[in-house]
Amino acid sequence: MEVRSQEAIRQLQALMDHVEERLMCTFQNVHQGYLAETLERFLKARDWNVSKAYKMLLDCLNWRVENEIDMMLTKPIIPVDVYRAVRDSQLIGLSGYSREGLPVFAIGVGLSTFDKASVNYYVQSHIQINEYRDRVILPSASKKYGRPITTCVKVLDMTGLKLSSLSQIKLLTIISTIDDLNYPEKTNTYFIVNAPYIFSSCWKVVKPLLQERTRKKIQVLSGSGRDELLKIMDYSSLPHFCKREGSGSSRHSSDGDENCYSLDHPFHQQLYNYIKQQAVQESSRPIKQGSVHPLMREYTQSLWKDIK
C-alpha cells in the first residue's frame, strides 16, 4: 500500500477514535476486526478524500443505528411462504468461491420479477444477505485462507432480459443506493453473462445510474462466460447458468443443490436457519410477520418516493 494511502487511513482512523459509543458499537459489526481494510473501502469510495470518507462513514453508522441494521439478522421474513416468494422473484445466491477465496454471488437480473412481495421485503432480504455476507461469510473465508477477505465477486445473468425489465429500475436503484452509501467497495468484479441483444438498450438506461467506480468493475463476457470464469474459479463454484457452453436458464434446476437461487439450496437454508436461531436468542417472544423495523420501512418509502 502506498505511503499516501497509509497516511489517509491513519488520519481517518484518528477521526474514528473519537466517535460516540453507539456508533462505535455498530462500527464493529462493519469492520469485523479488519479496520484498515474497512477504512480503505470508504476512502476509495470518496477518492481518498479523508473528510468526505469520514462523513460517509458517519452517515453509514447513523443509518445503521437509526434503522437497527445490527438487528437485521434477527428478523426472519415470515411466514416461510413469503420468504419463498421473495426467493422465487429476487434471484440471488452464493454459488461458491473464487480461487482467491472471494465469495461468488450469482444474480438473475433477467428473470427476477420483484412482484411477489412488497418493496420492504425485497429491501429487507437484500440487507440481510449483505449483513450475512459481511458478518458470517467473509470472516469465515478470511479465517480459512489466513488473510483478510473483505470483497466478493458477482456474476449477473441476463437470461430472459426484456425492455419491460426497466419497470424494476426504481427498486433496483433503491438497492443500489443502499449499497453505494452503506456497503461501498464490497464487490471486486461484476461479470455480465448470457447478455441478449436487448442488453445494449437496457445498459444505456442503467449505466448513467451507476457510480463511475462501479462501472469500471463491470466485465461483459461472451455467452455463459464459462471459459473466462474458469480462469478464476473451479467448475464447482460456477453458477448453474454458466455451466453450459451456451446460454442457460437461470431460474429453475432439477437439483436444489445446483440452483443457488432456490430456497432449498444450502446457502439459503443456512442463511434462513441462522436468522431464525438469532431471533430465538434475541427474544423468546413470538416473531410477527413484518418484523422489519418501522424506521427501515420509512427509509425505504422515502427512497421510493424520491427516486424518479
Side-chain angles (χ1 to χ4, degrees), residues 193-255:
V193 302
N194 295 326
Y197 73 94
I198 203 68
F199 171 73
S200 59
S201 298
C202 294
W203 180 238
K204 290 178 181 178
V205 176
V206 174
K207 186 176 180 179
L209 302 177
L210 301 175
Q211 298 289 330
E212 176 63 23
R213 66 180 191 276
T214 300
R215 293 199 293 267
K216 290 179 178 179
K217 297 178 182 180
I218 296 174
Q219 296 185 30
V220 181
L221 304 182
S222 174
S224 69
R226 187 183 71 167
D227 293 342
E228 288 299 313
L229 292 174
L230 283 175
K231 295 177 182 178
I232 64 168
M233 69 185 73
D234 294 335
Y235 182 84
S236 60
S237 290
L238 285 177
H240 59 279
F241 50 80
C242 295
K243 290 185 175 179
R244 299 183 180 90
E245 290 187 9
S247 299
S249 173
S250 66
R251 183 183 291 274
H252 298 296
S253 173
S254 59
D255 187 351

Side-chain angles (χ1 to χ4, degrees), residues 2-44:
E2 298 178 1
V3 174
R4 180 183 175 186
S5 301
Q6 292 176 334
E7 177 60 19
I9 291 173
R10 187 194 65 77
Q11 291 178 17
L12 182 54
Q13 184 172 349
L15 291 172
M16 291 302 298
D17 287 341
H18 299 287
V19 302
E20 54 188 300
E21 184 176 356
R22 72 186 184 100
L23 299 185
M24 189 58 72
C25 288
T26 194
F27 187 41
Q28 292 175 354
N29 269 334
V30 173
H31 68 67
Q32 291 292 315
Y34 298 105
L35 180 58
E37 289 80 7
T38 300
L39 297 177
E40 183 180 2
R41 288 195 296 104
F42 281 85
L43 284 163
K44 284 182 177 179

Side-chain angles (χ1 to χ4, degrees), residues 15 27 41 53 63 67 100 102 105 113 121 167 182-183 200 205 220-221 251 258 266 277 281 283-284 286 305 307-308:
L15 291 172
F27 187 41
R41 288 195 296 104
W63 171 78
N67 294 288
E100 294 182 345
L102 277 61
F105 281 90
T113 58
Y121 283 121
S167 63
N182 304 293
Y183 303 93
S200 59
V205 176
V220 181
L221 304 182
R251 183 183 291 274
E258 175 79 4
Q277 291 169 3
Q281 293 176 13
S283 174
S284 60
K305 181 179 179 181
I307 294 173
K308 306 298 183 183

